[in-house]
Amino acid sequence: MTYPYGRPETSLWRDVTALALLLTASLKIMANATISPALPALEASFSGEPGAAYLVRFLVSAPSLTVVLVAPLAGLAIDRFGRSWLLMAGVLVFALSGSAGAYLNDLTAILISRLLLGVALAFTMTAQVALAGDLFQGNRRSAFMGGQVVAINFGGFLFIGGAGLLAGVSPRLPFVIYALPLLLLPLLWPVMKQEYRNRKTAHDVPSSLTTAATEVSAAQAGSWLVYAFGLAGLSMVTVMIFFLMPSQLPFYLEASGFDGATGTALGLGALTLSGAFTALKFAAIRGRLGLPITFSAGFLIMGCGFATLAMYPAWEFIIPGCALIGVGYAFVQPALFLAALDIAPAARRGTVSGMITTSMFLGQIVSPFVFTPALQSYGFVAVYAVSGAAIVILALLALAVRLFRPTRMAVPSEPSLEKPAL
């Protein structure tokens, strides 16, 4: 499919349909972090229930668990039954299950609603990335992937900041924020209509072209899947290391004699802001450097960020280190999705999107279990230094192996109004 709205040079932020898909990306950070400011008050309100301290903390990570389990199946379903209507269904269930904590009176029921929220997020994220591959090509696809990082980072600021204000009134009010995605449904309706038109057009493709596409797909079926598993493993390791920041930075600051809460806000603020502003220029940078060098540069900058954190526990190292990690990850995250969409045949974009989504959330879950024992045994400086070195090795490996450059199914059934990818 091709993107039919306006000229290729038109800003994505001025297109209602593209903007709706970009805003949908912000649900990724809304799912987990929005209720964080309310956790202490929630724990106090359920103090009489057995295991409340553990269950309340698990409310944050519960959606990630079901995303890991469901996203591969969601990808297969999206390829089989269509993207847009499952995206809209995911957004609807996301809003209903996410906001359920505002009125449910049983902690177990709230936990179940959070698990259901993860199911909705799995369908939403995989369908959204697959649609990006269908609707955008070339530079606009790069711009869209960079725009996702912007939407996620600024969305995090708004959602978490708003939740903090609402939590001061009642620990249940932050759950109301989860109802906001209902506003996206009217904006996503044109996407469904366009997908229907494009699917109908695809049925009119001459049989000779269909046969050629089938032959290419059969020849490359094994190849793209091998690369997809490689990218999934790479994305899991990348997120696992990156997640050292939100999960371990507060403890690093406390151990270094700083105020953990204030210091974490400053450090993660530098990370998210630097990442957001960098992502605005991702398409231009990728166009100038090419995907392989952009990919490797992102890893290298992340590695320098961790090396900076390992130098000395002082603000003149902490803030620049966090900012460098944010800049590097703003290169790597959209590059991962671009590489995944490049390697997959058009009919398998949902599948590869589900694989990458699963690997990213799995990296979040695994990260504390991998790094906490190492931190306790060797300390923060050693772990940050080794993490920086490991990411630099990934930069060299990514450039040498060029995981992102497999042969993509190039069939003549996807005409484009845009310039070819650089």
Side-chain angles (χ1 to χ4, degrees):
M1 290 191 287
T2 57
Y3 192 77
Y5 300 100
R7 297 177 48 141
E9 296 82 4
T10 303
S11 170
L12 293 172
W13 302 99
R14 297 177 184 176
D15 187 288
V16 175
T17 304
L19 183 59
L21 288 174
L22 288 171
L23 292 176
T24 303
S26 67
L27 303 188
K28 178 180 178 181
I29 194 165
M30 179 193 286
N32 296 92
T34 299
I35 64 167
S36 295
L39 291 182
L42 276 175
E43 181 179 346
S45 65
F46 289 107
S47 58
E49 295 195 20
Y54 295 99
L55 289 176
V56 167
R57 285 166 173 78
F58 186 58
L59 293 179
V60 175
S61 56
S64 296
L65 177 62
T66 44
V67 167
V68 169
L69 297 175
V70 173
L73 300 177
L76 294 173
I78 287 163
D79 284 339
R80 176 67 178 84
F81 301 109
R83 298 31 164 141
S84 54
W85 78 271
L86 284 173
L87 172 64
M88 295 182 70
V91 170
L92 177 61
V93 175
F94 184 99
L96 296 177
S97 59
S99 60
Y103 54 83
L104 293 175
N105 295 319
D106 180 72
L107 185 56
T108 302
I110 295 177
L111 178 59
I112 293 172
S113 73
R114 299 288 294 175
L115 294 171
L116 183 59
L117 177 69
V119 175
L121 183 64
F123 278 91
T124 301
M125 291 296 96
T126 51
Q128 188 254 4
V129 173
L131 278 168
D134 292 343
L135 300 177
F136 304 101
Q137 297 179 17
N139 289 333
R140 285 180 70 79
R141 185 183 291 177
S142 298
F144 185 88
M145 292 304 169
Q148 282 197 134
V149 178
V150 177
I152 290 170
N153 286 3
F154 283 121
F157 265 112
L158 294 176
F159 298 145
I160 297 173
L165 295 175
L166 293 175
V169 180
S170 168
R172 298 303 192 93
L173 283 180
F175 288 99
V176 177
I177 294 176
Y178 288 97
L180 289 176
L182 291 174
L183 300 176
L184 293 176
L185 293 177
L187 302 180
L188 291 171
W189 181 253
V191 181
M192 177 182 287
K193 293 197 297 183
Q194 179 59 33
E195 184 182 19
Y196 173 77
R197 285 196 296 266
N198 287 338
R199 281 178 173 267
K200 185 177 180 181
T201 301
H203 288 301
D204 298 331
V205 174
S207 58
S208 59
L209 297 184
T210 304
T211 302
T214 303
E215 291 175 354
V216 174
S217 178
Q220 296 181 354
S223 176
W224 81 263
L225 195 56
V226 170
Y227 283 110
F229 275 112
L231 277 173
L234 181 62
S235 65
M236 188 190 77
V237 173
T238 303
V239 172
M240 185 178 70
I241 297 175
F242 174 78
F243 212 65
L244 275 169
M245 300 308 295
S247 64
Q248 303 294 349
L249 183 63
F251 301 100
Y252 173 58
L253 295 172
E254 289 281 355
S256 302
F258 298 103
D259 181 345
T262 303
T264 301
L266 291 173
L268 295 184
L271 184 150
T272 54
L273 283 178
S274 63
F277 286 112
T278 300
L280 286 171
K281 298 296 183 181
F282 173 80
I285 294 169
R286 185 262 183 184
R288 181 176 293 274
L289 300 179
L291 187 57
I293 297 178
T294 302
F295 214 142
S296 298
F299 279 128
L300 184 61
I301 295 170
M302 282 183 68
C304 291
F306 279 107
T308 303
L309 285 178
M311 287 182 180
Y312 191 76
W315 287 120
E316 52 266 35
F317 295 102
I318 294 172
I319 297 298
C322 291
L324 284 171
I325 293 170
V327 170
Y329 194 65
F331 283 8
V332 172
Q333 184 184 21
L336 282 168
F337 281 112
L338 277 178
L341 292 174
D342 282 346
I343 66 176
R348 293 292 180 265
R349 285 175 181 148
T351 300
V352 75
S353 173
M355 293 171 66
I356 300 299
T357 301
T358 296
S359 65
M360 287 185 165
F361 279 88
L362 185 59
Q364 293 181 18
I365 294 173
V366 169
S367 181
F369 295 100
V370 171
F371 287 111
T372 299
L375 290 167
Q376 292 173 343
S377 299
Y378 303 104
F380 287 95
V381 172
V383 170
Y384 283 146
V386 171
S387 297
I391 290 180
V392 171
I393 292 173
L394 288 179
L396 299 174
L397 180 64
L399 190 59
V401 179
R402 298 166 76 92
L403 289 174
F404 31 76
R405 292 284 304 229
T407 54
R408 177 174 177 258
M409 186 177 77
V411 298
S413 58
E414 280 192 350
S416 175
L417 299 176
E418 304 170 10
K419 298 177 182 178
L422 298 179

